[in-house]
Amino acid sequence: MFESASFVLFAVTLPFASLLLALRSGLQRAYCYSLPVLPLPALMIALLSDPGWLLSLPGLLHGGLWGMDDLRRAFLLLTAMLWLAAGVFALGYMKGYLKADNLRRFCVFWALTLAGNLGLTIAEDIASFYGFFALMTFAAYGLVVHEGTGEANRAGRVYLVMAVGGEMAILAGLLMAAQLAGSDLLADLPATIAGAEQRGLIMLLLLAGFGVKAGLPLLHFWLPLAHPVAPTPASAVLSGAMIKAGLLGWLVTLPFGEVSLPGWGDLLVIVGAVGSLGGAVLGLRQQQPKTVLAYSSISQMGFITLMVGAALASADVAVTLFAVMALFALHHGLAKGSLFLATAMTLPRSRIGQWLMWLLVALPGLSLAGLPFTSGAVAKLAMKEVLKPDHFAFAAAPYLPALMSAGAVATMLLVWRFLWLQRAVGKIGRNPVAMWVGWGLSLAGSLILFWYLPWHGAVPEKTWPTAITGEAWSLIWPILMATLMAAVAPRSVRQR
């Protein structure tokens, strides 16, 4: 049922249909309450349908093809779950933070961005994928500038300039590859690009174009500007789900598994290392919790870029790395979304309630750092297993373990910085029920739903809990080192 053509169409078009509620100003409250419903059908598809289905849409542009494999299922699960949690959270957030006359505008851009984010995860033809990707990109501008402040408008201008440049690069790369392939399907692009005379140019266009969304170094400037000024529910999906669309763009277009490209692997490992460590250094100097989280996303995407580089460098390891990258993306997206939502929560009045809440706020952060028996531990051990230097022959391979360890320390330092700043701005009061429920859903997604892995058997068995015990020290020592560094850091670094 959930992979039937009618249900899939319903899941993707429901956000578009919700725009009818924006036609009358008296329905804006009803529109607001529809936000959590919009991603539910897509979540049901991700959880309950079997991968392998295809939906042909001959009347769509040049003929659309939508489908789901294990990779797309992981991204659809992340996207739908995070948009659901953020949508519930938005119900309570809007009551206290957004003016009533802005609700309709917020809901319109929310629905359009969601539609694009959902659609691109299941699109298998080039036209559908690019159309949904562009819709998500430009509709998100409305979320970035929603508050209308000077900072929001400046962030929106930077976002729009970089988005236009990124979309131009993506479109050029896709058109060049499609012309050479003589096909409208994404699945035909990797082999075509691998054998193309203009392979370097096409890959550069696609890496840079999708890299704007993924936050590559020098293409990341919109991230730390946009996340702090956007409404908190929008910040959660911007960082948790939307930047992963750039990763998905890389995975479905670049020539992974077709040819080994050690030169490109070396380049991307360097870029990933700069993003991972440089993002952490810049994040530690920030004064706002949401800005620290934005730089943390840049740092974590640097981890993923390391894996992208390794997959390009060795065709034999690419398939295994796909599973690990999907695992890491799901882990990071759910944990980071929870942390962003936590920035808008107020502390309970009771001392016990405050301590409990701080524990719940810290858990996703500790998961990002790889605390044993969290989603981060599984993701990092899987990454460590696959990125062993003896699996590769490119020049940067021997440095992968050191880069991963340094990145783990940097991640924990950013977590402590975030908690320190969040402590300083934390307020005591009451949270609307919807905010508790939305934040609780994001926590459950990070701490519980993650273990419902959609790729059973794809990740090496030694990454599971029995092996986590044996690898506990390798996970704990970066956390301890970062904690010691944070404790002895100069006061000027720790203060607001």
CSV table of all heavy atoms in Angstrom, one decimal, residues 340-373:
chain,number,residue,atom,x,y,z
A,340,PHE,N,19.2,22.1,17.9
A,340,PHE,CA,18.6,23.4,17.4
A,340,PHE,C,17.3,23.6,18.1
A,340,PHE,O,17.1,24.8,18.6
A,340,PHE,CB,18.5,23.4,15.9
A,340,PHE,CG,19.6,24.0,15.2
A,340,PHE,CD1,20.6,23.2,14.5
A,340,PHE,CD2,19.8,25.4,15.2
A,340,PHE,CE1,21.6,23.8,13.9
A,340,PHE,CE2,20.9,26.0,14.6
A,340,PHE,CZ,21.8,25.2,13.9
A,341,LEU,N,16.4,22.7,18.2
A,341,LEU,CA,15.1,22.9,18.9
A,341,LEU,C,15.3,23.2,20.3
A,341,LEU,O,14.6,24.0,20.9
A,341,LEU,CB,14.2,21.7,18.7
A,341,LEU,CG,13.8,21.3,17.3
A,341,LEU,CD1,12.9,20.1,17.3
A,341,LEU,CD2,13.1,22.5,16.6
A,342,ALA,N,16.3,22.6,20.9
A,342,ALA,CA,16.6,22.9,22.4
A,342,ALA,C,16.9,24.3,22.7
A,342,ALA,O,16.7,24.8,23.8
A,342,ALA,CB,17.7,22.0,22.9
A,343,THR,N,17.5,25.1,21.7
A,343,THR,CA,17.9,26.5,21.9
A,343,THR,C,16.7,27.4,22.2
A,343,THR,O,16.8,28.5,22.8
A,343,THR,CB,18.6,27.0,20.7
A,343,THR,OG1,17.8,27.0,19.5
A,343,THR,CG2,19.9,26.2,20.4
A,344,ALA,N,15.5,27.0,21.8
A,344,ALA,CA,14.3,27.8,22.1
A,344,ALA,C,13.5,27.3,23.3
A,344,ALA,O,12.5,27.9,23.7
A,344,ALA,CB,13.3,27.7,20.9
A,345,MET,N,14.0,26.3,24.0
A,345,MET,CA,13.3,25.8,25.2
A,345,MET,C,13.7,26.5,26.4
A,345,MET,O,14.8,26.9,26.6
A,345,MET,CB,13.6,24.3,25.4
A,345,MET,CG,13.2,23.4,24.2
A,345,MET,SD,11.4,23.2,24.1
A,345,MET,CE,11.1,22.2,25.5
A,346,THR,N,12.7,26.8,27.3
A,346,THR,CA,13.0,27.4,28.6
A,346,THR,C,13.1,26.3,29.7
A,346,THR,O,12.5,25.2,29.5
A,346,THR,CB,11.9,28.4,29.0
A,346,THR,OG1,10.7,27.7,29.0
A,346,THR,CG2,11.9,29.5,28.1
A,347,LEU,N,13.9,26.5,30.7
A,347,LEU,CA,14.1,25.5,31.8
A,347,LEU,C,12.9,25.4,32.7
A,347,LEU,O,12.3,26.5,33.0
A,347,LEU,CB,15.4,25.9,32.6
A,347,LEU,CG,16.7,25.9,31.8
A,347,LEU,CD1,17.8,26.5,32.7
A,347,LEU,CD2,17.0,24.5,31.4
A,348,PRO,N,12.6,24.3,33.2
A,348,PRO,CA,11.6,24.1,34.3
A,348,PRO,C,12.0,24.9,35.5
A,348,PRO,O,13.2,25.2,35.8
A,348,PRO,CB,11.5,22.6,34.5
A,348,PRO,CG,12.2,22.0,33.3
A,348,PRO,CD,13.2,23.0,32.9
A,349,ARG,N,11.0,25.1,36.4
A,349,ARG,CA,11.3,25.9,37.6
A,349,ARG,C,12.0,25.1,38.7
A,349,ARG,O,12.8,25.6,39.5
A,349,ARG,CB,10.0,26.5,38.2
A,349,ARG,CG,9.3,27.5,37.2
A,349,ARG,CD,8.1,28.1,37.8
A,349,ARG,NE,7.5,29.0,36.9
A,349,ARG,CZ,7.9,30.3,36.6
A,349,ARG,NH1,9.0,30.7,37.2
A,349,ARG,NH2,7.2,31.0,35.7
A,350,SER,N,11.7,23.8,38.7
A,350,SER,CA,12.3,22.9,39.8
A,350,SER,C,13.7,22.6,39.4
A,350,SER,O,14.1,22.5,38.3
A,350,SER,CB,11.5,21.6,39.9
A,350,SER,OG,11.6,20.8,38.8
A,351,ARG,N,14.5,22.4,40.5
A,351,ARG,CA,16.0,22.1,40.3
A,351,ARG,C,16.1,20.7,39.6
A,351,ARG,O,17.0,20.6,38.7
A,351,ARG,CB,16.7,22.1,41.6
A,351,ARG,CG,18.2,21.8,41.6
A,351,ARG,CD,18.9,22.9,40.8
A,351,ARG,NE,18.8,24.2,41.5
A,351,ARG,CZ,19.4,25.3,41.1
A,351,ARG,NH1,20.1,25.3,39.9
A,351,ARG,NH2,19.3,26.5,41.7
A,352,ILE,N,15.3,19.8,40.0
A,352,ILE,CA,15.4,18.4,39.4
A,352,ILE,C,15.0,18.5,38.0
A,352,ILE,O,15.7,17.9,37.1
A,352,ILE,CB,14.5,17.4,40.2
A,352,ILE,CG1,15.0,17.3,41.6
A,352,ILE,CG2,14.4,16.1,39.5
A,352,ILE,CD1,14.1,16.3,42.5
A,353,GLY,N,14.0,19.2,37.7
A,353,GLY,CA,13.6,19.4,36.3
A,353,GLY,C,14.6,20.0,35.4
A,353,GLY,O,14.8,19.6,34.3
A,354,GLN,N,15.3,21.0,36.0
A,354,GLN,CA,16.4,21.6,35.2
A,354,GLN,C,17.6,20.7,34.9
A,354,GLN,O,18.1,20.6,33.8
A,354,GLN,CB,16.9,22.9,36.0
A,354,GLN,CG,15.9,24.0,36.1
A,354,GLN,CD,16.4,25.1,37.0
A,354,GLN,OE1,17.6,25.3,37.2
A,354,GLN,NE2,15.5,26.0,37.5
A,355,TRP,N,18.0,19.9,35.9
A,355,TRP,CA,19.0,18.9,35.7
A,355,TRP,C,18.6,17.9,34.7
A,355,TRP,O,19.4,17.5,33.8
A,355,TRP,CB,19.4,18.3,37.0
A,355,TRP,CG,20.3,19.1,37.9
A,355,TRP,CD1,20.0,19.8,39.0
A,355,TRP,CD2,21.7,19.3,37.6
A,355,TRP,NE1,21.1,20.5,39.5
A,355,TRP,CE2,22.2,20.2,38.7
A,355,TRP,CE3,22.6,18.9,36.6
A,355,TRP,CZ2,23.5,20.7,38.7
A,355,TRP,CZ3,24.0,19.4,36.7
A,355,TRP,CH2,24.4,20.2,37.7
A,356,LEU,N,17.4,17.4,34.8
A,356,LEU,CA,16.9,16.4,33.8
A,356,LEU,C,16.9,17.0,32.4
A,356,LEU,O,17.3,16.3,31.4
A,356,LEU,CB,15.5,16.0,34.2
A,356,LEU,CG,14.8,15.0,33.2
A,356,LEU,CD1,15.7,13.7,33.1
A,356,LEU,CD2,13.4,14.6,33.7
A,357,MET,N,16.5,18.3,32.3
A,357,MET,CA,16.4,18.9,31.0
A,357,MET,C,17.8,19.1,30.4
A,357,MET,O,18.1,18.8,29.2
A,357,MET,CB,15.7,20.2,31.0
A,357,MET,CG,15.5,20.8,29.7
A,357,MET,SD,14.3,22.2,29.7
A,357,MET,CE,14.4,22.7,28.0
A,358,TRP,N,18.8,19.5,31.2
A,358,TRP,CA,20.2,19.6,30.8
A,358,TRP,C,20.7,18.3,30.3
A,358,TRP,O,21.5,18.2,29.3
A,358,TRP,CB,21.0,20.2,31.9
A,358,TRP,CG,21.0,21.7,31.9
A,358,TRP,CD1,20.5,22.5,33.0
A,358,TRP,CD2,21.4,22.6,30.9
A,358,TRP,NE1,20.6,23.8,32.7
A,358,TRP,CE2,21.1,23.9,31.4
A,358,TRP,CE3,21.9,22.5,29.6
A,358,TRP,CZ2,21.4,25.1,30.7
A,358,TRP,CZ3,22.2,23.6,28.9
A,358,TRP,CH2,21.9,24.9,29.4
A,359,LEU,N,20.4,17.2,31.0
A,359,LEU,CA,20.8,15.9,30.6
A,359,LEU,C,20.3,15.6,29.2
A,359,LEU,O,21.0,15.1,28.3
A,359,LEU,CB,20.4,14.8,31.6
A,359,LEU,CG,20.7,13.4,31.2
A,359,LEU,CD1,22.2,13.1,31.1
A,359,LEU,CD2,20.0,12.4,32.2
A,360,LEU,N,19.0,15.9,29.0
A,360,LEU,CA,18.4,15.6,27.7
A,360,LEU,C,18.9,16.5,26.6
A,360,LEU,O,19.0,16.0,25.4
A,360,LEU,CB,16.8,15.8,27.8
A,360,LEU,CG,16.1,14.8,28.7
A,360,LEU,CD1,14.6,15.1,28.8
A,360,LEU,CD2,16.3,13.3,28.2
A,361,VAL,N,19.3,17.7,26.9
A,361,VAL,CA,19.9,18.6,25.9
A,361,VAL,C,21.3,18.1,25.6
A,361,VAL,O,21.7,18.1,24.4
A,361,VAL,CB,20.0,20.0,26.5
A,361,VAL,CG1,20.9,20.9,25.6
A,361,VAL,CG2,18.6,20.7,26.6
A,362,ALA,N,22.0,17.6,26.6
A,362,ALA,CA,23.4,17.1,26.3
A,362,ALA,C,23.5,15.8,25.6
A,362,ALA,O,24.5,15.6,24.8
A,362,ALA,CB,24.1,17.0,27.7
A,363,LEU,N,22.5,15.0,25.7
A,363,LEU,CA,22.6,13.6,25.1
A,363,LEU,C,22.9,13.6,23.6
A,363,LEU,O,23.7,12.9,23.1
A,363,LEU,CB,21.4,12.8,25.4
A,363,LEU,CG,21.4,12.1,26.8
A,363,LEU,CD1,20.1,11.4,27.1
A,363,LEU,CD2,22.6,11.1,26.9
A,364,PRO,N,22.1,14.4,22.8
A,364,PRO,CA,22.4,14.4,21.4
A,364,PRO,C,23.8,15.0,21.1
A,364,PRO,O,24.4,14.6,20.1
A,364,PRO,CB,21.3,15.3,20.8
A,364,PRO,CG,20.2,15.3,21.8
A,364,PRO,CD,20.9,15.2,23.1
A,365,GLY,N,24.2,16.0,21.9
A,365,GLY,CA,25.6,16.5,21.7
A,365,GLY,C,26.6,15.5,22.0
A,365,GLY,O,27.6,15.3,21.2
A,366,LEU,N,26.4,14.7,23.0
A,366,LEU,CA,27.4,13.6,23.3
A,366,LEU,C,27.3,12.5,22.3
A,366,LEU,O,28.3,11.9,22.0
A,366,LEU,CB,27.1,13.0,24.7
A,366,LEU,CG,27.3,14.0,25.9
A,366,LEU,CD1,26.8,13.4,27.2
A,366,LEU,CD2,28.8,14.3,26.0
A,367,SER,N,26.1,12.4,21.7
A,367,SER,CA,26.0,11.4,20.6
A,367,SER,C,26.9,11.9,19.4
A,367,SER,O,27.6,11.1,18.8
A,367,SER,CB,24.6,11.2,20.2
A,367,SER,OG,24.4,10.4,19.1
A,368,LEU,N,26.8,13.2,19.1
A,368,LEU,CA,27.7,13.7,18.0
A,368,LEU,C,29.1,13.4,18.3
A,368,LEU,O,29.9,13.1,17.3
A,368,LEU,CB,27.5,15.2,17.9
A,368,LEU,CG,26.1,15.7,17.3
A,368,LEU,CD1,26.1,17.2,17.3
A,368,LEU,CD2,25.9,15.1,15.9
A,369,ALA,N,29.5,13.4,19.5
A,369,ALA,CA,30.9,13.2,19.9
A,369,ALA,C,31.3,11.7,19.9
A,369,ALA,O,32.5,11.4,20.1
A,369,ALA,CB,31.3,13.8,21.2
A,370,GLY,N,30.3,10.8,19.8
A,370,GLY,CA,30.6,9.4,19.8
A,370,GLY,C,30.5,8.7,21.1
A,370,GLY,O,31.1,7.7,21.3
A,371,LEU,N,29.7,9.2,22.0
A,371,LEU,CA,29.5,8.5,23.3
A,371,LEU,C,29.1,7.1,23.1
A,371,LEU,O,28.2,6.8,22.3
A,371,LEU,CB,28.5,9.3,24.2
A,371,LEU,CG,28.3,8.8,25.6
A,371,LEU,CD1,29.5,9.1,26.5
A,371,LEU,CD2,27.0,9.4,26.2
A,372,PRO,N,29.7,6.1,23.8
A,372,PRO,CA,29.3,4.7,23.6
A,372,PRO,C,27.8,4.5,23.8
A,372,PRO,O,27.2,5.1,24.6
A,372,PRO,CB,30.2,4.0,24.7
A,372,PRO,CG,31.4,4.8,24.8
A,372,PRO,CD,30.9,6.3,24.7
A,373,PHE,N,27.3,3.6,22.9
A,373,PHE,CA,25.9,3.2,23.0
A,373,PHE,C,24.9,4.3,22.6
A,373,PHE,O,23.8,4.3,23.0
A,373,PHE,CB,25.5,2.6,24.3
A,373,PHE,CG,26.3,1.4,24.7
A,373,PHE,CD1,27.3,1.5,25.7
A,373,PHE,CD2,26.2,0.2,24.1
A,373,PHE,CE1,28.1,0.5,26.0
A,373,PHE,CE2,27.0,-0.9,24.4
A,373,PHE,CZ,28.0,-0.8,25.4
